[in-house]
Amino acid sequence: MQLFRKTGVSTLINILGMSVAFAAAMILMVQVRWDTTFDANFEGHKQVFRLENNWMDQGLFSTHIGRPFIERARDASPNIEAICTWQPLGGDVLYKEGDRENPITIPMASVDSSFFSVFPVEWVEGSAREFDAARTCVLNEAFAKMVFGEESAVGKILENGSGESRRIIGVFRNTPRNFSAHIGMLLAMGDTDRENFNEWSYAAYLKLKDPSMAKETEDAIYTALGEYVSSDEESRAEYRNGFRISQIHQAHFERDVRANVSSANKAITVTLAAIAILLILIAIINFINFAFAEIPFRIKNINTRKVLGESRGSLIGRQLLHAGLIALVAFAIAALIMHVIAGTSWASYVSDSIALKDNIGILVLMLGIALLSAVIAGIAPALYSTAQPAALVLKGSYAMSVKGKMLRNVLVGLQFVLSFLFILMALYVHVQTKFMMGKDMGFPQENILQVWCGYYAGAAHEPLKDKLLQNPSITDVTFTDSPLVSDQKMGWGRTVDGTQIFMEVLPVTEDFVRFFGLQMLDGRDFQPSDNQSETGCMIVNKTFVQMYPQFHVGSLARGHVGDTEIVGIVKDFNFKSLQHAMGPLALFIWGKTQWRNFSMMYVKTAPESNFKGISDYIKEAVRTFDPTREPDQVEVRHLDEWIENMYQSEQSLGKLITIASVVALLIAIIGIIGLVFFQTQFLKKEIAVRRVNGATVGSILQMINRKYLFMSGISFLIASPLAYWIMAVWRNGFAYQAPVPAWIFLLALVLVSAVVFLVVTLQSWHAANANPVDSLKNE
């Protein structure tokens, strides 16, 4: 019973530390698996490449390109097995023909029939044989069941709010979520824009016969396209440097590209994998420390058994069994923690599901690691404790060797280094994210709502605006073709005097510049009369005229139906998230020929307005002009909230590292408890002698604290330059970078030192206050 009192609490603390470490490691491994298998989860993925160019941003690559370029690349090299054209369309509200009462929003993309030659599709019913026919589509299995239940979807008709219909010719198996072509509905592209060099909203994926010849194939493709990019040989050579094809899985980790699919920072993925491994490592270190810390209480019992005839092998096996039980209990609790977190908002920090049923492989791996950890952590203390001479131990002459003490000090020091690394990185990720979210974007965000109203309601934007302004809490309204701040907008390529120019285009209503208070640098603002122009007009940003100095106010640039006049130049504002540098932008008025309706609406509200009341009013107003849309299908959000959510990956990373730093520090604290607990067993005589000679409790505590504070200081000096290097590498992925502030290093040092001082003091208090007579008598 006395042994349990002395070791039971330490065992429970040890289990707690291992459980938290295992749970955190498994959750991190879910994210690592998501990224390391992204676009590497289908047959033939090593043969699939993505076409990219930086002709638009001159430094930042993009997947946007005109469809004629894709068509001309098909026969560029015999190594090309197939090329598919892809155009993301976002989501649209659809319903069964004649059934407007049950609409559903389906994410869609427009593709050509070559898609099915590049990406493998398993058919549930139907096929893609008729995919080239006009107005056909295929659905994935999940959305087919949502719309049609158990009925066959093949042959059925889907309609959207504007009355356009699509005939379903096939249903395919659900694809993995971490797959570029994970989509609900694929529409047949037909011949749309096949010869339109001005529309740059398409992407291309290639399947190569021999992926090892990718470089030669890339050269062949550019040779085929070069004459369409520039007629000047020198310019053509420059444009060659801005063209490449990237293997689709590796493209997921590219940091110099804007693509309409998910991307990741490889350094972050490696960091998360390293954190998972290091958390397990420090849990094992902690296991070893506690196993050694318990030796003073177990060794007499062990050697009594040895004297009574129990073999050393049996004693070692008993201790390994004890360690194995601890590891199994810790694993079970870790799985329970993961299960609980899966049902909370914390699960959103990870891209994939963390439900236990979806992570059997990770659970089996962690179970194996737990048992291996028990063997690694249990064997050294077991061998050491059973190797002591029984007679000396039973007489009370047991002590730890100098090498043993040094090993445990080094292990705890390593825990400190890892704790400092995690804490410093968590603090800097917070600094960088706050810097981006707090930076002036060049336009106001307060009291502005962003509303996705859909194309059908957007077609009636003028009467919709009039209806909204009847609400006294709404002071202004404007419309755009797509979100004001987004990493992908409509891309246009134009040839001017033999040189190709590129820009991103945002169609807007004439009140847009005034609504957002953008500063005009030259020329004029839009006017209502611009809507009656035959070819429309545009206002470009400062970066546009800096990149293309041949343009100025009054210049003509090819628009969507003819030459369009540049009527003004506006001061740069950030129309992308701050991971990306400023690029050329044109705000565009359609004129008389508007080939696409507005789908995004911005609503300015009076200060301190009731959000729910205004939101409900907006939703009902939209439904007045689009009755097919349910209220929950009209998305109303604060603009600043939308922009903050663009940094969701950075915020999630910061939270994951923060959790890891807390776990690492917790385990380091547990390690300190074990080390101090162990050390004080052998300092009793020294403490007693000091007390007899007049030492105070404070001086005893100071003596013990000095060692651990010195240890944490040395660990800080080791961790700081390493952390700074990691921060510098990580922030290179951002166009706008926050400086590394000195205060995060000071805060980390103060935080860890304070925790160490508190833990060591509390743990040593009993030993420092013990009756010296009792300690000397026991010794």
Side-chain angles (χ1 to χ4, degrees):
M1 191 66 182
Q2 184 181 12
L3 177 64
F4 175 79
R5 285 198 300 269
K6 290 181 177 180
T7 64
V9 173
S10 65
T11 298
L12 290 175
I13 295 175
N14 194 13
I15 289 174
L16 173 63
M18 290 187 68
S19 301
V20 175
F22 286 164
M26 287 193 291
I27 292 171
L28 291 175
M29 286 163 66
V30 171
Q31 181 63 51
V32 171
R33 182 191 60 194
W34 170 274
D35 287 321
T36 54
T37 62
F38 200 100
D39 279 336
N41 46 20
F42 62 91
E43 185 179 352
H45 70 270
K46 292 182 179 179
Q47 298 173 255
V48 179
F49 289 71
R50 189 173 72 191
L51 191 150
E52 301 168 356
N53 70 84
N54 71 358
W55 302 336
M56 186 177 297
D57 285 353
Q58 295 188 359
L60 186 66
F61 280 83
S62 171
T63 57
H64 282 170
I65 196 166
R67 192 174 178 191
F69 290 93
I70 302 173
E71 295 301 315
R72 282 152 179 78
R74 292 188 186 278
D75 300 320
S77 168
N79 192 40
I80 298 175
E81 184 175 320
I83 297 180
C84 79
T85 307
W86 167 277
Q87 184 185 42
L89 300 176
D92 199 1
V93 177
L94 300 165
Y95 46 84
K96 290 189 290 187
E97 185 179 27
D99 183 12
R100 293 192 170 216
E101 301 299 318
N102 297 292
I104 183 172
T105 301
I106 303 179
M108 301 185 300
S110 177
V111 300
D112 61 13
S113 57
S114 297
F115 173 89
F116 305 101
S117 299
V118 175
F119 297 107
V121 169
E122 182 182 351
W123 295 102
V124 176
E125 58 175 334
S127 69
R129 282 194 297 271
E130 300 179 63
F131 196 73
D132 284 327
R135 313 211 66 78
T136 58
C137 68
V138 294
L139 280 176
N140 77 3
E141 187 177 14
F143 282 99
K145 287 184 177 180
M146 290 174 67
V147 178
F148 299 102
E150 297 303 319
E151 293 181 60
S152 171
V154 173
K156 298 288 197 311
I157 303 296
L158 286 177
E159 295 182 348
N160 63 15
S162 58
E164 295 178 341
S165 62
R166 290 277 178 171
R167 179 170 60 92
I168 301 170
I169 62 171
V171 176
F172 58 93
R173 293 277 181 212
N174 299 328
T175 54
R177 289 176 56 238
N178 58 339
F179 175 43
S180 292
H182 177 70
I183 203 74
M185 181 176 179
L186 298 171
L187 309 181
M189 184 177 291
D191 292 328
T192 305
D193 291 323
R194 187 183 289 272
E195 294 300 324
N196 183 2
F197 281 91
N198 296 323
E199 178 58 43
W200 281 56
S201 60
Y202 296 93
Y205 292 92
L206 305 82
K207 186 173 184 179
L208 306 186
K209 297 175 183 176
D210 183 358
S212 68
M213 295 180 61
K215 186 61 180 175
E216 293 86 344
T217 307
E218 179 182 277
D219 291 336
I221 294 173
Y222 185 77
T223 298
L225 304 185
E227 61 181 287
Y228 301 100
V229 175
S230 175
S231 58
D232 179 72
E233 194 66 34
E234 184 176 341
S235 298
R236 193 182 302 175
E238 181 180 344
Y239 280 117
R240 173 64 187 91
N241 295 327
F243 178 85
R244 71 189 184 197
I245 62 173
S246 298
Q247 199 279 324
I248 189 171
H249 172 62
Q250 299 303 323
H252 178 63
F253 295 104
E254 291 175 342
R255 300 301 293 163
D256 60 345
V257 65
R258 288 183 300 107
N260 39 39
V261 293
S262 173
S263 64
N265 187 327
K266 196 165 191 175
I268 292 175
T269 302
V270 172
T271 299
L272 293 178
I275 290 173
I277 294 170
L278 292 174
L279 285 176
I280 295 171
L281 176 61
I282 60 177
I284 295 174
I285 292 172
N286 203 56
F287 202 157
I288 295 172
N289 281 338
F290 263 91
F292 273 112
E294 292 177 354
I295 288 177
F297 303 107
R298 295 183 180 275
I299 197 161
K300 286 190 177 182
N301 177 272
I302 291 170
N303 283 277
T304 298
R305 290 176 177 273
K306 186 187 297 185
V307 170
L308 294 176
E310 188 168 350
S311 67
R312 188 186 182 196
S314 174
L315 292 170
I316 292 173
R318 188 187 298 274
Q319 292 188 62
L320 289 179
L321 178 61
H322 175 74
L325 289 174
I326 290 176
L328 286 174
V329 172
F331 169 77
I333 296 174
L336 179 61
I337 293 172
M338 188 172 176
H339 172 71
V340 171
I341 292 177
T344 69
S345 60
W346 285 24
S348 63
Y349 301 161
V350 181
S351 300
D352 205 1
S353 165
I354 62 172
L356 298 184
K357 64 181 178 62
D358 297 325
N359 295 284
I360 301 300
I362 289 178
L363 289 171
V364 171
L365 175 63
M366 187 56 66
L367 176 60
I369 291 173
L371 295 176
L372 181 62
S373 301
V375 173
I376 294 173
I379 193 67
L383 290 173
Y384 180 82
S385 62
T386 57
Q388 304 302 313
L392 291 178
V393 171
L394 293 175
K395 288 180 180 179
S397 300
Y398 167 73
M400 173 61 85
S401 68
V402 174
K403 288 184 179 180
K405 292 178 182 178
M406 184 177 296
L407 172 63
R408 298 187 69 239
N409 288 338
V410 169
L411 292 178
V412 173
L414 177 59
Q415 289 179 323
F416 274 131
V417 170
L418 297 176
S419 298
F420 276 121
L421 281 177
F422 293 157
I423 291 170
L424 289 169
M425 273 306 299
L427 288 172
Y428 184 68
V429 170
H430 173 75
V431 167
Q432 174 66 24
T433 305
K434 188 174 181 181
F435 169 78
M436 291 190 297
M437 291 193 296
K439 189 180 183 301
D440 182 13
M441 301 284 286
F443 54 84
Q445 301 175 37
E446 291 185 2
N447 303 317
I448 294 180
L449 303 178
Q450 177 174 284
V451 184
W452 188 75
C453 60
Y455 294 114
Y456 198 57
H461 62 274
E462 291 182 357
L464 175 56
K465 177 179 179 178
D466 292 338
K467 182 171 182 62
L468 291 172
L469 290 177
Q470 294 174 13
N471 188 317
S473 294
I474 296 176
T475 61
D476 205 357
V477 181
T478 191
F479 292 80
T480 64
D481 176 71
S482 59
L484 167 64
V485 181
S486 62
D487 291 342
Q488 291 274 282
K489 289 183 173 61
M490 182 164 53
W492 282 3
R494 302 291 185 265
T495 302
V496 179
D497 297 329
T499 300
Q500 197 80 20
I501 69 168
F502 309 92
M503 70 189 99
E504 290 185 76
V505 180
L506 179 64
V508 299
T509 49
E510 73 276 2
D511 48 16
F512 177 86
V513 173
R514 175 188 55 76
F515 181 96
F516 282 104
L518 303 180
Q519 181 181 343
M520 297 296 304
L521 301 178
D522 195 10
R524 66 169 176 84
D525 191 0
F526 292 128
Q527 300 171 355
S529 59
D530 293 331
N531 292 311
Q532 303 306 313
S533 168
E534 294 294 334
T535 59
C537 63
M538 64 176 69
I539 293 175
V540 298
N541 66 349
K542 183 180 178 180
T543 294
F544 181 97
V545 294
Q546 287 176 336
M547 289 182 63
Y548 310 118
Q550 65 267 42
F551 288 96
H552 50 79
V553 172
S555 295
L556 298 178
R558 178 72 180 174
H560 66 304
V561 292
D563 289 337
T564 300
E565 182 182 4
I566 297 175
V567 300
I569 300 171
V570 71
K571 182 179 178 180
D572 283 338
F573 63 94
N574 291 101
F575 58 92
K576 306 175 195 171
S577 61
L578 298 182
Q579 292 99 329
H580 306 298
M582 191 68 65
L585 175 72
L587 303 174
F588 190 72
I589 294 291
W590 291 110
K592 289 183 178 180
T593 308
Q594 182 174 342
W595 59 265
R596 188 163 69 190
N597 296 326
F598 298 110
S599 62
M600 195 65 62
M601 176 170 66
Y602 290 90
V603 178
K604 190 174 294 183
T605 64
E608 300 180 2
S609 299
N610 179 272
F611 172 75
K612 186 178 186 311
I614 294 178
S615 176
D616 290 343
Y617 183 83
I618 291 172
K619 291 178 179 181
E620 286 304 314
V622 170
R623 294 188 71 237
T624 300
F625 298 93
D626 185 2
T628 68
R629 197 171 299 277
E630 295 298 320
D632 60 357
Q633 294 171 330
V634 181
E635 185 181 39
V636 182
R637 304 178 68 174
H638 292 283
L639 177 58
D640 53 0
E641 177 188 273
W642 165 268
I643 294 173
E644 284 186 13
N645 282 344
M646 298 191 74
Y647 308 114
Q648 186 64 47
S649 62
E650 284 74 29
Q651 294 180 65
S652 296
L653 172 66
K655 290 169 182 174
L656 286 173
I657 296 180
T658 299
I659 293 169
S661 65
V662 170
V663 172
L665 186 56
L666 173 63
I667 297 174
I669 290 170
I670 293 173
I672 294 170
I673 292 173
L675 191 59
V676 175
F677 187 65
F678 178 75
Q679 184 183 23
T680 53
Q681 306 307 310
F682 301 101
L683 287 178
K684 286 182 178 180
K685 184 175 181 179
E686 181 182 346
I687 292 172
V689 171
R690 287 176 178 269
R691 289 293 308 279
V692 169
N693 289 325
T696 63
V697 171
S699 65
I700 298 296
L701 294 176
Q702 185 179 10
M703 175 192 74
I704 300 174
N705 265 294
R706 188 182 299 118
K707 169 187 174 180
Y708 295 100
L709 290 175
F710 177 77
M711 186 186 298
S712 65
I714 294 298
S715 301
F716 174 77
L717 293 177
I718 295 172
S720 293
L722 182 57
Y724 186 86
W725 175 77
I726 295 173
M727 292 173 197
V729 171
W730 179 72
R731 68 175 182 168
N732 282 339
F734 300 89
Y736 299 87
Q737 301 173 359
V740 180
W743 65 262
I744 66 175
F745 293 90
L746 180 61
L747 178 59
L749 179 60
V750 170
L751 174 64
V752 174
S753 297
V755 170
V756 168
F757 177 80
L758 180 62
V759 170
V760 173
T761 299
L762 292 175
Q763 185 67 14
S764 306
W765 184 264
H766 177 72
N769 281 279
N771 189 330
V773 175
D774 293 338
S775 297
L776 291 172
K777 182 176 64 175
N778 291 334
E779 290 292 327

mmCIF file of all heavy atoms in Angstrom, residues 147-176:
data_model
loop_
_atom_site.group_PDB
_atom_site.id
_atom_site.type_symbol
_atom_site.label_atom_id
_atom_site.label_comp_id
_atom_site.label_asym_id
_atom_site.label_seq_id
_atom_site.Cartn_x
_atom_site.Cartn_y
_atom_site.Cartn_z
ATOM 1 N N VAL A 147 -30.128 13.922 -54.416
ATOM 2 C CA VAL A 147 -31.166 14.469 -55.289
ATOM 3 C C VAL A 147 -32.231 13.425 -55.624
ATOM 4 O O VAL A 147 -33.432 13.702 -55.582
ATOM 5 C CB VAL A 147 -30.547 15.018 -56.598
ATOM 6 C CG1 VAL A 147 -31.651 15.545 -57.524
ATOM 7 C CG2 VAL A 147 -29.540 16.111 -56.290
ATOM 8 N N PHE A 148 -31.792 12.195 -55.925
ATOM 9 C CA PHE A 148 -32.729 11.199 -56.458
ATOM 10 C C PHE A 148 -32.985 10.024 -55.528
ATOM 11 O O PHE A 148 -33.770 9.134 -55.870
ATOM 12 C CB PHE A 148 -32.196 10.669 -57.799
ATOM 13 C CG PHE A 148 -32.038 11.726 -58.848
ATOM 14 C CD1 PHE A 148 -30.774 12.239 -59.140
ATOM 15 C CD2 PHE A 148 -33.135 12.240 -59.516
ATOM 16 C CE1 PHE A 148 -30.615 13.226 -60.101
ATOM 17 C CE2 PHE A 148 -32.986 13.225 -60.482
ATOM 18 C CZ PHE A 148 -31.717 13.731 -60.774
ATOM 19 N N GLY A 149 -32.318 9.998 -54.376
ATOM 20 C CA GLY A 149 -32.517 8.881 -53.465
ATOM 21 C C GLY A 149 -32.035 7.579 -54.091
ATOM 22 O O GLY A 149 -30.944 7.506 -54.643
ATOM 23 N N GLU A 150 -32.857 6.547 -54.026
ATOM 24 C CA GLU A 150 -32.503 5.242 -54.585
ATOM 25 C C GLU A 150 -32.861 5.118 -56.058
ATOM 26 O O GLU A 150 -32.589 4.103 -56.692
ATOM 27 C CB GLU A 150 -33.188 4.124 -53.787
ATOM 28 C CG GLU A 150 -32.753 4.056 -52.325
ATOM 29 C CD GLU A 150 -31.244 3.889 -52.180
ATOM 30 O OE1 GLU A 150 -30.659 3.103 -52.956
ATOM 31 O OE2 GLU A 150 -30.648 4.547 -51.307
ATOM 32 N N GLU A 151 -33.502 6.150 -56.634
ATOM 33 C CA GLU A 151 -33.834 6.112 -58.065
ATOM 34 C C GLU A 151 -32.560 6.179 -58.906
ATOM 35 O O GLU A 151 -31.557 6.740 -58.484
ATOM 36 C CB GLU A 151 -34.706 7.316 -58.447
ATOM 37 C CG GLU A 151 -36.080 7.358 -57.862
ATOM 38 C CD GLU A 151 -36.820 8.600 -58.372
ATOM 39 O OE1 GLU A 151 -36.998 8.727 -59.604
ATOM 40 O OE2 GLU A 151 -37.164 9.451 -57.536
ATOM 41 N N SER A 152 -32.617 5.654 -60.102
ATOM 42 C CA SER A 152 -31.514 5.813 -61.046
ATOM 43 C C SER A 152 -31.469 7.265 -61.513
ATOM 44 O O SER A 152 -32.504 7.851 -61.860
ATOM 45 C CB SER A 152 -31.695 4.883 -62.246
ATOM 46 O OG SER A 152 -30.751 5.171 -63.245
ATOM 47 N N ALA A 153 -30.270 7.848 -61.523
ATOM 48 C CA ALA A 153 -30.124 9.240 -61.934
ATOM 49 C C ALA A 153 -29.923 9.377 -63.435
ATOM 50 O O ALA A 153 -30.175 10.447 -64.003
ATOM 51 C CB ALA A 153 -28.937 9.867 -61.196
ATOM 52 N N VAL A 154 -29.462 8.314 -64.091
ATOM 53 C CA VAL A 154 -29.152 8.381 -65.524
ATOM 54 C C VAL A 154 -30.418 8.695 -66.323
ATOM 55 O O VAL A 154 -31.464 8.062 -66.138
ATOM 56 C CB VAL A 154 -28.523 7.062 -66.004
ATOM 57 C CG1 VAL A 154 -28.358 7.065 -67.526
ATOM 58 C CG2 VAL A 154 -27.177 6.854 -65.344
ATOM 59 N N GLY A 155 -30.316 9.693 -67.186
ATOM 60 C CA GLY A 155 -31.450 10.104 -68.012
ATOM 61 C C GLY A 155 -32.275 11.208 -67.396
ATOM 62 O O GLY A 155 -33.083 11.842 -68.081
ATOM 63 N N LYS A 156 -32.072 11.466 -66.104
ATOM 64 C CA LYS A 156 -32.828 12.527 -65.439
ATOM 65 C C LYS A 156 -32.278 13.901 -65.845
ATOM 66 O O LYS A 156 -31.139 14.033 -66.316
ATOM 67 C CB LYS A 156 -32.733 12.383 -63.920
ATOM 68 C CG LYS A 156 -33.304 11.092 -63.380
ATOM 69 C CD LYS A 156 -34.821 11.069 -63.462
ATOM 70 C CE LYS A 156 -35.455 10.006 -62.570
ATOM 71 N NZ LYS A 156 -34.889 8.679 -62.693
ATOM 72 N N ILE A 157 -33.113 14.930 -65.639
ATOM 73 C CA ILE A 157 -32.745 16.306 -65.999
ATOM 74 C C ILE A 157 -32.615 17.146 -64.732
ATOM 75 O O ILE A 157 -33.473 17.093 -63.850
ATOM 76 C CB ILE A 157 -33.807 16.948 -66.924
ATOM 77 C CG1 ILE A 157 -34.011 16.092 -68.181
ATOM 78 C CG2 ILE A 157 -33.398 18.370 -67.284
ATOM 79 C CD1 ILE A 157 -32.798 15.992 -69.068
ATOM 80 N N LEU A 158 -31.538 17.906 -64.649
ATOM 81 C CA LEU A 158 -31.352 18.872 -63.571
ATOM 82 C C LEU A 158 -31.465 20.280 -64.140
ATOM 83 O O LEU A 158 -30.980 20.555 -65.246
ATOM 84 C CB LEU A 158 -29.978 18.700 -62.912
ATOM 85 C CG LEU A 158 -29.792 17.491 -61.996
ATOM 86 C CD1 LEU A 158 -28.358 17.437 -61.483
ATOM 87 C CD2 LEU A 158 -30.757 17.541 -60.822
ATOM 88 N N GLU A 159 -32.124 21.174 -63.377
ATOM 89 C CA GLU A 159 -32.273 22.563 -63.810
ATOM 90 C C GLU A 159 -31.694 23.492 -62.753
ATOM 91 O O GLU A 159 -31.655 23.156 -61.567
ATOM 92 C CB GLU A 159 -33.754 22.899 -64.034
ATOM 93 C CG GLU A 159 -34.401 22.127 -65.169
ATOM 94 C CD GLU A 159 -35.851 22.541 -65.387
ATOM 95 O OE1 GLU A 159 -36.404 23.243 -64.516
ATOM 96 O OE2 GLU A 159 -36.427 22.157 -66.424
ATOM 97 N N ASN A 160 -31.259 24.691 -63.188
ATOM 98 C CA ASN A 160 -30.841 25.712 -62.232
ATOM 99 C C ASN A 160 -31.877 26.821 -62.188
ATOM 100 O O ASN A 160 -32.909 26.755 -62.873
ATOM 101 C CB ASN A 160 -29.447 26.248 -62.572
ATOM 102 C CG ASN A 160 -29.392 26.939 -63.930
ATOM 103 O OD1 ASN A 160 -30.417 27.267 -64.517
ATOM 104 N ND2 ASN A 160 -28.174 27.169 -64.420
ATOM 105 N N GLY A 161 -31.590 27.840 -61.389
ATOM 106 C CA GLY A 161 -32.578 28.893 -61.177
ATOM 107 C C GLY A 161 -32.940 29.671 -62.423
ATOM 108 O O GLY A 161 -34.037 30.222 -62.517
ATOM 109 N N SER A 162 -32.030 29.727 -63.403
ATOM 110 C CA SER A 162 -32.317 30.483 -64.620
ATOM 111 C C SER A 162 -32.960 29.613 -65.704
ATOM 112 O O SER A 162 -33.138 30.063 -66.823
ATOM 113 C CB SER A 162 -31.028 31.112 -65.165
ATOM 114 O OG SER A 162 -30.055 30.120 -65.420
ATOM 115 N N GLY A 163 -33.287 28.351 -65.361
ATOM 116 C CA GLY A 163 -33.995 27.492 -66.288
ATOM 117 C C GLY A 163 -33.116 26.665 -67.199
ATOM 118 O O GLY A 163 -33.626 25.905 -68.026
ATOM 119 N N GLU A 164 -31.792 26.786 -67.057
ATOM 120 C CA GLU A 164 -30.897 25.962 -67.873
ATOM 121 C C GLU A 164 -30.949 24.518 -67.381
ATOM 122 O O GLU A 164 -30.998 24.265 -66.173
ATOM 123 C CB GLU A 164 -29.469 26.499 -67.794
ATOM 124 C CG GLU A 164 -29.317 27.895 -68.393
ATOM 125 C CD GLU A 164 -27.899 28.407 -68.238
ATOM 126 O OE1 GLU A 164 -27.163 27.871 -67.380
ATOM 127 O OE2 GLU A 164 -27.526 29.349 -68.959
ATOM 128 N N SER A 165 -30.905 23.572 -68.292
ATOM 129 C CA SER A 165 -31.048 22.158 -67.918
ATOM 130 C C SER A 165 -29.826 21.360 -68.354
ATOM 131 O O SER A 165 -29.113 21.725 -69.298
ATOM 132 C CB SER A 165 -32.306 21.558 -68.548
ATOM 133 O OG SER A 165 -32.215 21.603 -69.959
ATOM 134 N N ARG A 166 -29.598 20.252 -67.640
ATOM 135 C CA ARG A 166 -28.518 19.318 -67.957
ATOM 136 C C ARG A 166 -29.050 17.895 -67.846
ATOM 137 O O ARG A 166 -29.748 17.561 -66.878
ATOM 138 C CB ARG A 166 -27.352 19.498 -66.995
ATOM 139 C CG ARG A 166 -26.588 20.795 -67.174
ATOM 140 C CD ARG A 166 -25.549 20.704 -68.271
ATOM 141 N NE ARG A 166 -24.850 21.976 -68.463
ATOM 142 C CZ ARG A 166 -23.785 22.114 -69.238
ATOM 143 N NH1 ARG A 166 -23.303 21.057 -69.879
ATOM 144 N NH2 ARG A 166 -23.209 23.283 -69.392
ATOM 145 N N ARG A 167 -28.683 17.059 -68.811
ATOM 146 C CA ARG A 167 -29.100 15.656 -68.786
ATOM 147 C C ARG A 167 -27.978 14.816 -68.180
ATOM 148 O O ARG A 167 -26.821 14.883 -68.600
ATOM 149 C CB ARG A 167 -29.428 15.169 -70.199
ATOM 150 C CG ARG A 167 -29.841 13.701 -70.284
ATOM 151 C CD ARG A 167 -30.382 13.372 -71.678
ATOM 152 N NE ARG A 167 -29.380 13.622 -72.706
ATOM 153 C CZ ARG A 167 -28.516 12.699 -73.156
ATOM 154 N NH1 ARG A 167 -28.532 11.471 -72.643
ATOM 155 N NH2 ARG A 167 -27.662 13.004 -74.117
ATOM 156 N N ILE A 168 -28.334 13.988 -67.196
ATOM 157 C CA ILE A 168 -27.344 13.154 -66.509
ATOM 158 C C ILE A 168 -27.119 11.885 -67.315
ATOM 159 O O ILE A 168 -28.063 11.160 -67.628
ATOM 160 C CB ILE A 168 -27.836 12.797 -65.084
ATOM 161 C CG1 ILE A 168 -28.087 14.079 -64.277
ATOM 162 C CG2 ILE A 168 -26.808 11.920 -64.365
ATOM 163 C CD1 ILE A 168 -28.796 13.829 -62.967
ATOM 164 N N ILE A 169 -25.851 11.608 -67.646
ATOM 165 C CA ILE A 169 -25.550 10.407 -68.429
ATOM 166 C C ILE A 169 -24.740 9.382 -67.628
ATOM 167 O O ILE A 169 -24.484 8.284 -68.121
ATOM 168 C CB ILE A 169 -24.767 10.768 -69.712
ATOM 169 C CG1 ILE A 169 -23.422 11.414 -69.356
ATOM 170 C CG2 ILE A 169 -25.592 11.668 -70.609
ATOM 171 C CD1 ILE A 169 -22.512 11.586 -70.566
ATOM 172 N N GLY A 170 -24.353 9.748 -66.401
ATOM 173 C CA GLY A 170 -23.579 8.793 -65.611
ATOM 174 C C GLY A 170 -23.430 9.231 -64.174
ATOM 175 O O GLY A 170 -23.563 10.415 -63.833
ATOM 176 N N VAL A 171 -23.176 8.255 -63.302
ATOM 177 C CA VAL A 171 -22.907 8.496 -61.879
ATOM 178 C C VAL A 171 -21.608 7.770 -61.538
ATOM 179 O O VAL A 171 -21.469 6.575 -61.834
ATOM 180 C CB VAL A 171 -24.052 7.979 -60.986
ATOM 181 C CG1 VAL A 171 -23.701 8.153 -59.514
ATOM 182 C CG2 VAL A 171 -25.359 8.693 -61.323
ATOM 183 N N PHE A 172 -20.661 8.506 -60.924
ATOM 184 C CA PHE A 172 -19.372 7.901 -60.603
ATOM 185 C C PHE A 172 -19.157 7.815 -59.100
ATOM 186 O O PHE A 172 -19.794 8.535 -58.319
ATOM 187 C CB PHE A 172 -18.221 8.674 -61.265
ATOM 188 C CG PHE A 172 -18.135 10.130 -60.898
ATOM 189 C CD1 PHE A 172 -17.338 10.563 -59.844
ATOM 190 C CD2 PHE A 172 -18.844 11.089 -61.634
ATOM 191 C CE1 PHE A 172 -17.256 11.900 -59.515
ATOM 192 C CE2 PHE A 172 -18.769 12.438 -61.304
ATOM 193 C CZ PHE A 172 -17.970 12.840 -60.243
ATOM 194 N N ARG A 173 -18.275 6.925 -58.705
ATOM 195 C CA ARG A 173 -17.971 6.731 -57.281
ATOM 196 C C ARG A 173 -17.413 8.014 -56.676
ATOM 197 O O ARG A 173 -16.744 8.799 -57.351
ATOM 198 C CB ARG A 173 -16.938 5.625 -57.099
ATOM 199 C CG ARG A 173 -17.413 4.247 -57.477
ATOM 200 C CD ARG A 173 -18.184 3.587 -56.360
ATOM 201 N NE ARG A 173 -18.606 2.244 -56.758
ATOM 202 C CZ ARG A 173 -19.706 1.670 -56.342
ATOM 203 N NH1 ARG A 173 -20.517 2.310 -55.511
ATOM 204 N NH2 ARG A 173 -20.014 0.444 -56.739
ATOM 205 N N ASN A 174 -17.685 8.190 -55.381
ATOM 206 C CA ASN A 174 -17.139 9.348 -54.681
ATOM 207 C C ASN A 174 -15.609 9.287 -54.697
ATOM 208 O O ASN A 174 -15.015 8.235 -54.444
ATOM 209 C CB ASN A 174 -17.628 9.383 -53.229
ATOM 210 C CG ASN A 174 -19.141 9.492 -53.155
ATOM 211 O OD1 ASN A 174 -19.765 10.097 -54.016
ATOM 212 N ND2 ASN A 174 -19.724 8.892 -52.141
ATOM 213 N N THR A 175 -14.989 10.392 -54.989
ATOM 214 C CA THR A 175 -13.533 10.464 -55.005
ATOM 215 C C THR A 175 -13.035 10.914 -53.634
ATOM 216 O O THR A 175 -13.792 11.486 -52.845
ATOM 217 C CB THR A 175 -13.061 11.459 -56.067
ATOM 218 O OG1 THR A 175 -13.711 12.726 -55.847
ATOM 219 C CG2 THR A 175 -13.388 10.957 -57.460
ATOM 220 N N PRO A 176 -11.753 10.668 -53.308
ATOM 221 C CA PRO A 176 -11.218 11.141 -52.024
ATOM 222 C C PRO A 176 -11.319 12.663 -51.922
ATOM 223 O O PRO A 176 -11.219 13.378 -52.927
ATOM 224 C CB PRO A 176 -9.751 10.690 -52.070
ATOM 225 C CG PRO A 176 -9.712 9.583 -53.064
ATOM 226 C CD PRO A 176 -10.755 9.904 -54.083
#
